[in-house]
Amino acid sequence: MKQEFDLLIRNASIVDGTGALRYPGDIGIRGDRIARIGDLSAAGGDREIDLGGRIAAPGFIDAHTHDDRLMLSSPDMAPKVSQGITTVVAGNCGISLAPMPRPIPQPVTPPLNLLDEEGGWFSFPTFASYVARLRETPPATNCALLVGHTTLRVATVDDLGRPATQEQIGRMRALVSEAMEAGAVGVSTGLFYEPSVAAPTEEVIDVCRPLKQSGGIYCTHMRDEADRVVDSLEETFRIGREVGVPVVISHLKVVGPANKGRSQEALDLIEKNMAHQPICIDCYPYTAGSTILSADRAASSSRVIVSWSKPLPQYAGQNLDAIAASMGVDQDEAIRRLSPAGGIYFRLDEGDVQTILKHDQVMIGSDGLPHDASPHPRLWGSFPRVLGHYGRLLGLFPLETAIYKMTGLTAKNFGLKDRGVLREGAYADLTLFNADTVDSAATYEDPIAPAHGIETVIVNGVAVWQGGRSPGARPGRVLAREVQPAGA
Ligand code: ZN
Ligand code: CU
């Protein structure tokens, strides 16, 4: 007999993603939507899951990822769905896979090599061709896509050490318009990184102009996250004001021992400006960062782990000081021999990480680097670590608040309609988990490990993680940014 629901989740503790207190109930799913929430003990489902009081939450939204290529090369998205993530925001830090209207330079210009060291995946001449590929061969998760300013520079600027010319800015702006028409939600920058550090504020503003009309958002890995963090925040606010769009400050942090404790100062400045313009923030729950290996970043870190090395791959996962000692050279020479390479840098203060993490406007974003041989554990562990280590063990926030930071708040900021909340009519993106055991299993020493406590993960009504494995379903969609017109 055909049952009333395709999937019926019984005896759930429902954490709805708005920050509201959990409540007991059943959830009936039909097709890709939540059809009913309430006491459904008289109803039946073609499939049923009895949670026995464990948690049903909206699927987690990873506000900050570099999954542009992972969605195509590993569409099961195991590092993501295994920690309860059902939507990824890709194309962050100025780095997007598309568009690349001319051949990518060889070797691939860092940091674009974080997506693909060989370069063959930079094969989408337009943003529309990339979106079309994602629709033809969808991954397990939904995505919202940013177009990266560094990618646009590599695609149009010949001398990357200089500001773009008016003509090059015009071409980048046309590529932004094309990307927004094709379904991008905004532009990201990585003004901290080599090929974009040469871009003055005015270049960014001019390139981002099309965002206002298309209702886009501006996300930034700021120019400086250390001594000059305040200048960088002011630059970010100015770009948002002059373009006329919301800004997202990516992985907010204050780097280096000299800036210990300054997270509160950064948050105070952000709060002050939030009164005048829309500002969003994401962060990851670790005291180490990760990006390409460089001598200056290593010099300001207390410990460095090599996450990948093209010429010497056998050193991935080892400490840089041990590698240098075994080579009989100093750290700088070891970095020269290992490069191109990636590093994990211990250089944040735990108190600052917690101050930022618990701020009520801060979203969770993993910033995971999915193609590193020995990745930072944030790739597999960010979301369960927030729920387990920081929520349950350290008591930084109640479960409902932690979930809000990874669902409702993120969907609101990125304009993802009917996502990030559990209510009738919303999309059936859900994560079912055990609040008593949920935590990251990934560590710096052993970084590739599915989380503890995540039981079933559902995207658009279809299970993408169950019983500790991917069943192979790929129901993910490219999501649009839908924002209320001003004044509505
Ligand atoms: Zn970044
Ligand atoms: Cu990033």
Side-chain angles (χ1 to χ4, degrees):
M1 188 187 82
K2 177 76 184 155
Q3 301 285 347
E4 197 173 339
F5 299 107
D6 298 325
L7 173 62
L8 180 53
I9 299 164
R10 295 190 189 276
N11 298 313
S13 284
I14 298 172
V15 179
D16 71 4
T18 66
L21 278 181
R22 72 193 81 178
Y23 62 95
D26 310 316
I27 302 170
I29 294 166
R30 246 183 253 129
D32 62 358
R33 300 269 185 170
I34 296 172
R36 286 288 310 281
I37 297 180
D39 178 357
L40 305 176
S41 51
D46 285 342
R47 284 186 52 240
E48 299 197 359
I49 296 172
D50 192 324
L51 276 182
R54 296 187 304 282
I55 305 291
F60 307 152
I61 302 171
D62 191 342
H64 187 111
T65 85
H66 296 284
D67 293 342
D68 306 45
R69 172 191 148 196
L70 188 75
M71 291 190 279
L72 299 174
S73 61
S74 301
D76 283 345
M77 302 288 284
K80 299 303 163 108
V81 297
S82 64
Q83 54 178 314
I85 295 165
T86 57
T87 297
V88 300
V89 180
N92 275 284
C93 298
I95 307 163
S96 63
L97 198 58
M100 191 50 65
R102 63 180 181 183
I104 185 111
Q106 287 292 342
V108 175
T109 315
L112 298 190
N113 59 351
L114 291 175
L115 289 186
D116 179 17
E117 175 54 40
E118 304 297 327
W121 284 95
F122 287 93
S123 60
F124 300 98
T126 61
F127 208 82
S129 61
Y130 173 60
V131 172
R133 177 71 66 83
L134 285 170
R135 293 206 166 112
E136 282 157 25
T137 58
T141 62
N142 303 310
C143 62
L145 304 172
L146 299 164
V147 59
H149 169 243
T150 298
T151 298
L152 298 179
R153 286 195 117 232
V154 170
T156 52
V157 177
D158 295 310
D159 184 350
L160 287 167
R162 314 185 63 150
T165 64
Q166 277 311 312
E167 189 267 338
Q168 291 161 341
I169 288 173
R171 277 194 282 150
M172 286 194 269
R173 203 190 294 134
L175 291 170
V176 169
S177 294
E178 189 268 330
M180 294 304 294
E181 271 165 43
V185 300
V187 169
S188 76
T189 58
L191 299 177
F192 160 83
Y193 287 107
E194 201 53 71
S196 293
V197 81
T201 312
E202 293 73 19
E203 173 184 320
V204 177
I205 291 169
D206 282 345
V207 168
C208 288
R209 289 279 182 216
L211 290 181
K212 182 167 171 69
Q213 229 217 323
S214 51
I217 195 166
Y218 172 73
C219 303
T220 182
H221 180 155
M222 297 191 298
R223 214 177 275 282
D224 191 305
E225 296 174 321
D227 300 355
R228 305 193 58 188
V229 65
V230 166
D231 294 344
S232 293
L233 286 166
E234 296 288 5
E235 179 185 34
T236 303
F237 304 149
R238 180 187 159 200
I239 293 168
R241 280 195 312 268
E242 294 202 15
V243 180
V245 295
V247 300
V248 178
I249 298 160
S250 297
H251 42 58
L252 179 66
K253 57 174 108 64
V254 281
V255 170
N259 296 302
K260 184 173 155 151
R262 291 187 68 201
S263 55
Q264 195 56 55
E265 180 190 342
L267 287 167
D268 289 347
L269 184 62
I270 292 168
E271 269 181 32
K272 199 179 104 204
N273 283 270
M274 275 175 170
H276 315 293
Q277 66 182 106
I279 303 168
C280 316
I281 313 162
D282 67 65
C283 84
Y284 52 77
Y286 293 90
T287 55
S290 183
T291 182
I292 45 182
L293 190 62
S294 79
D296 56 328
R297 272 188 290 274
S300 66
S301 302
S302 59
R303 175 188 170 197
V304 180
I305 304 171
V306 173
S307 54
W308 59 275
S309 163
K310 191 172 189 202
L312 300 167
Q314 66 272 27
Y315 289 113
Q318 296 189 28
N319 283 306
L320 181 62
D321 56 1
I323 297 171
S326 76
M327 287 175 171
V329 299
D330 66 13
Q331 199 161 282
D332 287 5
E333 174 60 17
I335 290 171
R336 206 189 55 74
R337 292 186 189 180
L338 289 159
S339 294
I344 297 168
Y345 303 95
F346 290 77
R347 51 185 197 152
L348 304 178
D349 174 66
E350 176 65 27
D352 281 313
V353 169
Q354 293 187 18
T355 299
I356 293 170
L357 209 49
K358 73 180 177 209
H359 187 276
D360 62 0
Q361 291 300 310
V362 169
M363 308 178 277
I364 309 303
S366 71
D367 204 8
L369 298 172
H371 311 295
D372 289 11
S374 187
H376 187 303
R378 68 194 185 188
L379 174 66
W380 287 78
S382 288
F383 288 74
R385 180 172 164 84
V386 168
L387 297 170
H389 178 75
Y390 284 111
R392 186 182 64 245
L393 295 175
L394 299 190
L396 218 54
F397 26 58
L399 182 69
E400 287 84 350
T401 303
I403 299 280
Y404 174 63
K405 290 169 160 295
M406 44 183 83
T407 59
L409 176 63
T410 319
K412 177 171 69 98
N413 287 343
F414 282 94
L416 308 178
K417 192 165 173 277
D418 296 338
R419 309 274 174 185
V421 286
L422 294 187
R423 60 165 160 68
E424 293 178 2
Y427 286 101
D429 293 346
L430 294 98
T431 295
L432 313 180
F433 67 95
N434 186 335
D436 298 330
T437 60
V438 66
D439 212 334
S440 170
T443 61
Y444 291 103
E445 290 70 33
D446 196 1
I448 298 176
H452 300 298
I454 304 289
E455 296 175 356
T456 303
V457 182
I458 295 163
V459 172
N460 296 315
V462 178
V464 294
W465 184 260
Q466 201 156 33
R469 55 178 286 274
S470 297
R474 291 164 192 176
R477 296 179 192 166
V478 180
L479 304 184
R481 175 173 162 81
E482 297 182 55
V483 279
Q484 301 281 325

